[in-house]
Structures are given as C-alpha cells and as structure tokens.
Amino acid sequence: MTDNATHTNPIDVEALSRWMDANGVPGAGEIPELHDLTGGSQNELTMIERGGHKMVIRRPPATAVDDRLDGIRREHRLVKALKGADVPHAEYIAGSDDTELLGMPFYLMEAVDGWSPMDVGGWAPPFDTDLGARRGLGLELARGAALLSKVDWQSRGLEGFGRPDNFHERQVDRWLAFLERIKCRELPGLDIAAEWLRNHRPRHWSPGIMHGDYQFANVMFSHGAPAELAAIIDWEMTTVGDPLLDLGWVMMSWPTADGDIEGNSVSRSLGMEGMPSRDEMLDHYETISGRSTEDIDYYIILARFKLGIVLEQGYSRFLAGAGVNPKVEAFGPIVLDLISKAADLAAKTP
C-alpha cells in the first residue's frame, strides 16, 4: 500500500525497489510502502517503510529548475560526507545525482524518531511546562552547532564545497550586491552596519562546515526529558565557511538579560522562558567546539545584516505582486527591525 499522490512527482515504486536492492538498502526483495511527509520547505520528503526499516527520501519537486537540482546534488554530497560523523543528523543510506530513476536527483536517509518545534507548534511535553527541562533544549542547540564546527571537512572529501578563503572579506559586498538587484526601498541603518562589519572582521578564525540557517526551526529533538538533540535537518544553505556564523544566527534571536527577544519570529512564537543565558550558551559552545566566541557581536551583526537582506527579497517580490505567500508581507517590518538592531549593536560595539 502506498500514499504517493500528494507530491508533484509520484515515485515509480517498483523501479525504486530494484534500485534499493542494487544499492544494499535494507529490506532486500520487498516492495516499499511510501507515505508523503510534510516539513520540507524546498524539497519533497517521502517516508519509506521496507523490511521493518523506516527511511526518508528527499528530492526536488517536479517543477524544480536546474539550480534546485544542483542544490539537492550539493546537499547529497554533504549528507554523504557526514555519514558516521559525531554530529546529530539523519544518517545517509544511498542516493543518486542523476534524473534517470525518479526524474530528479535524490538521496535516502534514516528516519529520525523525534520532534521539531515547527511540527508540534511549540515545545513538546515536558518542555512545554517544565522550564528546567526546557533549558536543556538551548544547551543542546549550542552543542549541535559546536559539534558541526568540529567536523574535519577536508578529510571527508568536502574540498571545493565552499569558498572559505577570504570568507569575511566577501560578505558585505556580496550581500549588498544581492540587495541592489532586488532593492525596493531604503533600509535605515544598513550603511552603518555594513561599514562596521568591514572594519571589524575577525582576525583569527578557522574554516569549517556551517549550516547556514541554524535555529530551532531546523533541528529535531528526541522524545522526553532530558533534552537531547536528535538531528540537524534542512541542509540547503550549508557551505564551508566560518561556523561561528551559525552561533551568531542562534544568538541574534536569543533573549537578552531583561527577557527581550530580538530577531526572528520563530523565537517569538516559541516562547523562550527558561532558556540558558547568552553567556551560558557561549560558554557551552566554546567548551565543546574549542573556538573562541570573543567576536560574537560581529557574528550577530552579520547574521542580522544577512537575514534582513534575504527576507527583503521575499518582501520585494510581494510588493511587486509576484504571487508569493501573503505571509511574506510580515517580512516588511521584520527586515527593518533586523537592520536597525544590527546598526544599533554596531554603534554600541567599539
């Protein structure tokens, strides 16, 4: 029995089964059961059950353009390289970069038994009421970023996966050039943040794998307490660069000492009471990663600067009547807030 009609590109189950047999996937000789999943914003997810094993196949939709196909091939390379690494993730099983079998490149990974704050609409029990247990979710989020930063990307065949040379020298001009192509309004504070970033680049840093959109929305936790990170998910933005930007991505929306939640709407919607302090998060990351967080303000400002410009693209398309999700209208004030807070922190940081 299959549930294979929801996605835009139905899977040929018999062809998939033969491919699975040829690639040593568990359940040899059995026809798999397929069930479409939600949760992939850019790609389609399908649960596969065969021989008592649960796996997930990830592939682009049928409407995907060439850039999207290249994106899943790149993601395939990354997840394959992470196999066996000391990072919570869905373990890679097999995959294909060509379009012959399913009409799209794809890869197969182990199913993760856990929960995502986005899927349950907040904190799962007991973290919804037990603030002491909830604290562990924050520390686990920091641990995941720290473990990812420690992966030896070169020994895992990821040379050329990113451009770590002059990573920080390129950031401001790259994102300003991107903004110029989609510009629809003035963003107060943009020039202040840009100039500060140019003048305060980290003097000492080492390249590593960075997720690129590291936050509660892109991780899964194991069921029950104590908190345990089950998997980092959604690797579309991953590259080899400066992993500390992942920590900056987390901290730009972390509660301040007075309880104010800065940054993105995800943290605001979840409710961050009981989370570790900023200093505790930084100390935990440093202890595990071995990296210094002394320049964390730089990474927070860069994260706000970059996210503001990324969201501005969606907002500009909305203003142009491009038919995007109406919820994107909310990006308008969020972008202004991000850029303003980037400029404010820059002004306060010598």
Side-chain angles (χ1 to χ4, degrees):
M1 176 181 177
T2 63
D3 176 14
N4 188 29
T6 304
H7 287 336
T8 61
N9 189 18
I11 293 174
D12 182 332
V13 179
E14 292 185 357
L16 176 64
S17 182
R18 291 192 295 271
W19 177 88
M20 293 171 75
D21 288 344
N23 285 273
V25 177
E30 296 189 22
I31 299 296
E33 293 186 9
L34 275 57
H35 309 278
D36 288 342
L37 300 173
T38 59
S41 60
Q42 301 295 323
N43 294 291
E44 295 183 345
L45 301 173
T46 302
M47 175 72 76
I48 296 178
E49 297 187 44
R50 191 174 93 145
H53 295 270
K54 290 186 177 181
M55 301 157 271
V56 174
I57 195 166
R58 186 168 170 88
R59 63 204 173 108
T63 55
V65 297
D66 287 346
D67 284 351
R68 182 72 65 79
L69 303 191
D70 290 340
I72 200 72
R73 292 184 181 107
R74 178 179 170 83
E75 192 176 327
H76 177 203
R77 180 185 174 191
L78 181 280
V79 174
K80 186 176 182 179
L82 284 180
K83 186 175 177 66
D86 183 21
V87 176
H89 67 288
E91 193 80 353
Y92 174 79
I93 298 174
S96 175
D97 283 338
D98 64 43
T99 60
E100 218 172 288
L101 180 67
L102 302 182
M104 292 286 165
F106 66 93
Y107 66 89
L108 194 63
M109 57 189 164
E110 293 181 358
V112 177
D113 183 18
W115 61 276
S116 161
M118 298 300 98
D119 290 341
V120 302
W123 306 122
F127 309 103
D128 53 343
T129 58
D130 186 341
L131 297 187
R134 187 185 298 177
R135 180 177 183 275
L137 298 177
L139 293 176
E140 281 293 281
L141 188 67
R143 184 176 76 92
L147 290 174
L148 184 61
S149 78
K150 295 178 68 175
V151 173
D152 186 343
W153 55 278
Q154 291 166 308
S155 71
R156 289 182 172 271
L158 290 176
E159 286 281 2
F161 188 78
R163 297 169 56 203
D165 292 344
N166 299 316
F167 177 84
H168 290 290
E169 286 78 2
R170 296 194 310 271
Q171 292 303 302
V172 171
D173 289 338
R174 174 192 175 188
W175 289 107
L176 288 181
F178 178 85
L179 178 64
E180 192 61 34
R181 294 195 296 272
I182 53 96
K183 190 172 182 179
C184 63
R185 57 178 174 165
E186 295 298 321
L187 300 178
L190 184 75
D191 292 342
I192 295 173
E195 187 62 20
W196 188 94
L197 287 168
R198 285 194 179 100
N199 293 326
H200 292 80
R201 291 190 290 263
R203 289 173 294 177
H204 307 289
W205 67 279
S206 58
I209 299 173
M210 51 175 280
H211 180 274
D213 190 14
Y214 192 75
Q215 54 174 312
F216 278 122
N218 287 328
V219 298
M220 295 179 67
F221 293 97
S222 300
H223 298 290
E228 180 182 10
L229 189 66
I232 301 170
I233 59 175
D234 289 350
W235 300 93
E236 291 100 336
M237 304 297 292
T238 305
T239 190
V240 173
D242 188 340
L244 273 159
L245 186 52
D246 282 342
L247 184 63
W249 211 259
V250 170
M251 300 313 298
M252 72 171 164
S253 58
W254 208 255
T256 59
D258 60 7
D260 180 39
I261 298 177
E262 303 178 356
N264 67 39
S265 57
V266 172
S267 294
R268 293 181 184 275
S269 66
L270 288 174
M272 300 289 280
E273 297 83 4
M275 286 295 166
S277 69
R278 289 180 170 226
D279 285 346
E280 288 174 316
M281 290 287 286
L282 299 183
D283 288 346
H284 198 57
Y285 180 92
E286 283 193 352
T287 298
I288 296 169
S289 70
R291 294 173 184 262
S292 170
T293 64
E294 63 180 353
D295 292 322
I296 192 60
D297 284 344
Y298 169 88
Y299 294 99
I300 292 173
I301 293 168
L302 178 57
R304 290 174 178 163
F305 180 83
K306 176 181 174 180
L307 180 59
I309 292 174
V310 169
L311 296 183
E312 185 73 352
Q313 180 187 34
Y315 185 64
S316 67
R317 293 183 64 205
F318 170 81
L319 292 181
V324 296
N325 190 323
K327 292 182 180 180
V328 172
E329 183 178 8
F331 289 177
I334 292 174
V335 169
L336 296 177
D337 185 59
L338 283 165
I339 300 301
S340 173
K341 282 192 164 76
D344 288 347
L345 182 55
K348 297 174 185 175
T349 308

